[in-house]
Amino acid sequence: MGHQADQVLSPHILIIPIPLQSPVNCMLKLAELLCLADFHVTFLNIDYFHCRLLQYTDVESRFSQYPRFRFETISDGLPKDHPRCADKFYEMMEAMENVVQPLLKEKLKCGSLSSKSSQALPITCIISEAIIGCAFNIAQQIDVPLFYFDTIGPCAVWTYLCLPKLIEAGEVPFKDNDMDASIRCVPGMESFLRRRDLPHFCRANDTSDQGIQLALAEARQLPKAQGIILNTFQHLDKTILSQIGTLCPNLYAIGPLHSLYNTKLAASIKSPEPHSTNSLWKEDRSCLTWLNAQPPKSVIYVSIGSQVPMTINQKMELWHGLVKSESRFLWIIRPGSIIGETAEDVELMERYTSVVWKIGLDMKDVLDRVIVEKMVRELMMLRRNEFLKSADETAIFAKESVSEGGSSSCNLDRLIEDIRLMSLPAPKLSKN
């Protein structure tokens, strides 16, 4: 009876991230926030990435304070020496579909995640990346609600949702090489969206391209979920959120997630350690002494993210441009991110940062040292005050959104309550 009562009062969430640094980081933060709500949480991680987390982070000790949390690991079937980096993304997604899906179904049917297991309560809800197509099938199989947590930006999510319309209208694939041609079939972006701003797979020659097919699958899957979780906040992406809401009405904008995470943990007296991290690679902190000695707001932070590979030539052009700008910079280079040294795109986000948010500059696809130098000088010298003002205003709204009563804080509370209600067992009908 106690076991059944615990199931009614405390849902059991299965979290499935895609195996890349940024999504794993975001999903772990969300997992901890759900632990604070006294939910049972199982975090499904690929063996390879879980070993890296144990090696380079404190996740084991950090999550040990949550008795209702546990890691579940699963094989992706790839060789041990497979790099599992951004330029191998499609191989990794194929492994999720062909290897992880059947193994997970077996775990749910009669393994450690099944109702027959003594290790945990039955799964009552799944949170997954929308690009993981098997999540919907699995949620249907075990008859539980599914929430998608899309860790890419909302403007990219909306473009994915509009991709069928773009193809139908003949705007994708592109018919010629005019990358400045306007895109008219993405509502809310008609006044500024160009071909060059769309994700890289839109430049493929035909719709059979693997990237286009993955994006189309995601566009089909998103509206089927009980809700969509996004790492943004209302003030920043109000227009795009309203557009996404026309197809996926139940949205939970809970960003900036790192700020919401820190705020909620501080309020629960479970503040993270000063150097707590979810990094899948060993972090080099030797730069911090230098960084702390620099004047405030004088250092450019450079990062290409976890899903975009760079060529050696692109890396050198960026490096030369940064150096010649004579500005201080800190560049984070993740192992495996430079092709040849050992892919969702950022194009759409970089467009959006310059035109809508007004906190960035548009390089128009050209990673050239002269352009980089010019842009950095414009950012740090010529238009410094303008960008600082926009960034400061955005920061104020971001802080408000994660504070008590703020939009992101309220959306997290709503998500928690909705998961709790959806996870309740269906009432039994009495027979007269």
Side-chain angles (χ1 to χ4, degrees):
M1 180 67 71
H3 191 77
Q4 291 176 340
D6 192 32
Q7 180 179 352
V8 170
L9 295 173
S10 181
H12 182 191
I13 317 301
L14 174 63
I15 295 181
I16 312 175
I18 58 173
L20 288 172
Q21 173 66 80
S22 180
V24 168
N25 181 35
C26 288
M27 289 287 199
L28 279 171
K29 283 183 166 62
L30 178 60
E32 197 163 352
L33 291 172
L34 295 176
C35 286
L36 292 176
D38 289 327
F39 285 4
H40 292 269
V41 178
T42 295
F43 193 93
L44 184 73
N45 214 0
I46 301 300
D47 294 333
Y48 173 88
F49 289 100
H50 188 63
C51 289
R52 300 193 73 88
L53 277 176
L54 295 181
Q55 184 176 0
Y56 298 123
T57 76
D58 62 347
V59 291
E60 198 166 35
S61 60
R62 195 164 83 241
F63 279 93
S64 65
Q65 63 185 318
Y66 304 108
R68 294 180 170 182
F69 175 90
R70 68 171 176 143
F71 283 107
E72 183 78 24
T73 60
I74 199 166
S75 172
D76 60 6
L78 295 172
K80 287 185 178 180
D81 61 351
H82 190 283
R84 294 172 174 83
C85 53
D87 63 322
K88 303 293 183 182
F89 179 71
Y90 295 135
E91 291 178 20
M92 294 160 66
M93 294 312 299
E94 286 178 355
M96 291 292 290
E97 192 71 20
N98 300 328
V99 179
V100 174
Q101 177 173 208
L103 290 177
L104 179 54
K105 284 185 175 180
E106 190 66 22
K107 281 177 178 283
L108 289 163
K109 182 179 179 182
C110 57
S112 56
L113 293 175
S114 72
S115 57
K116 302 173 185 177
S117 172
S118 59
Q119 297 182 40
L121 295 168
I123 301 297
T124 61
C125 178
I126 293 177
I127 296 178
S128 165
E129 287 267 1
I131 202 169
I132 301 177
C134 65
F136 179 76
N137 298 330
I138 290 170
Q140 280 196 315
Q141 174 189 321
I142 61 176
D143 193 24
V144 299
L146 170 68
F147 291 81
Y148 284 131
F149 182 9
D150 240 322
T151 55
I152 60 176
C155 49
V157 173
W158 179 229
T159 306
Y160 281 29
L161 286 166
C162 292
L163 186 57
K165 188 185 299 184
L166 288 169
I167 294 173
E168 183 181 350
E171 292 197 299
V172 171
F174 305 150
K175 292 182 172 63
D176 53 53
N177 295 323
D178 181 8
M179 299 307 292
D180 286 317
S182 297
I183 296 294
R184 300 296 183 187
C185 290
V186 181
M189 299 186 186
E190 304 95 332
S191 63
F192 60 85
L193 195 65
R194 307 158 303 176
R195 286 176 176 173
R196 71 171 69 255
D197 303 316
L198 294 177
H200 68 286
F201 51 74
C202 293
R203 304 182 185 192
N205 293 326
D206 60 71
T207 56
S208 65
D209 175 78
Q210 199 169 10
I212 289 182
Q213 288 302 310
L214 268 176
L216 285 172
E218 182 169 343
R220 290 191 297 268
Q221 296 296 88
L222 278 166
K224 297 178 182 179
Q226 273 68 43
I228 310 297
I229 306 165
L230 295 167
N231 187 6
T232 188
F233 55 100
Q234 187 65 27
H235 185 272
L236 186 68
D237 281 311
K238 182 178 180 180
T239 301
I240 294 302
L241 289 173
S242 65
Q243 294 289 352
I244 296 175
T246 61
L247 296 179
C248 311
N250 199 18
L251 299 179
Y252 305 88
I254 61 169
L257 185 57
H258 67 283
S259 296
L260 182 64
Y261 168 82
N262 289 334
T263 301
K264 294 293 185 182
L265 259 67
S268 68
I269 321 178
K270 289 188 178 180
S271 299
E273 293 295 320
H275 300 307
S276 183
T277 176
N278 294 323
S279 177
L280 298 169
W281 287 269
K282 184 177 181 180
E283 294 182 339
D284 181 1
R285 296 182 173 273
S286 60
C287 63
L288 295 182
T289 301
W290 171 85
L291 182 62
N292 291 332
Q294 306 311 308
K297 301 180 180 180
S298 67
V299 178
I300 296 175
Y301 175 76
V302 184
S303 174
I304 61 171
S306 63
Q307 293 178 274
V308 181
M310 251 188 164
T311 65
I312 294 176
N313 287 340
Q314 288 174 325
K315 172 189 172 184
M316 295 310 299
E317 289 298 311
L318 182 55
W319 183 81
H320 279 290
L322 288 166
V323 170
K324 289 185 176 181
S325 73
E326 299 181 343
S327 294
R328 301 173 178 87
F329 67 93
L330 177 62
W331 188 353
I332 304 302
I333 300 180
R334 175 180 38 79
S337 61
I338 310 298
I339 298 174
E341 273 195 330
T342 14
E344 279 329 88
D345 269 326
V346 294
E347 287 106 330
L348 186 60
M349 184 61 70
E350 290 172 347
R351 185 56 193 146
Y352 221 71
T353 53
S354 62
V355 175
V356 181
W357 297 339
K358 303 186 186 304
I359 55 173
L361 295 167
D362 178 15
M363 293 178 63
K364 295 189 176 180
D365 285 357
V366 183
L367 191 50
D368 169 86
R369 65 187 67 186
V370 176
I371 298 295
V372 173
E373 177 186 354
K374 177 186 175 183
M375 293 293 183
V376 173
R377 288 183 180 276
E378 188 171 354
L379 178 68
M380 300 299 287
M381 300 173 193
L382 300 178
R383 299 172 62 187
R384 175 183 172 85
N385 291 337
E386 174 189 340
F387 285 115
L388 280 177
K389 181 182 177 183
S390 295
D392 288 342
E393 289 175 352
T394 302
I396 290 171
F397 287 117
K399 187 174 181 180
E400 289 176 354
S401 73
V402 301
S403 61
E404 188 66 29
S407 62
S408 294
S409 181
C410 290
N411 279 333
L412 176 65
D413 293 341
R414 182 168 60 89
L415 173 65
I416 289 169
E417 184 59 22
D418 287 351
I419 290 176
R420 196 187 304 277
L421 291 173
M422 291 182 195
S423 298
L424 291 174
K428 294 182 178 180
L429 297 176
S430 59
K431 294 182 179 180
N432 293 327

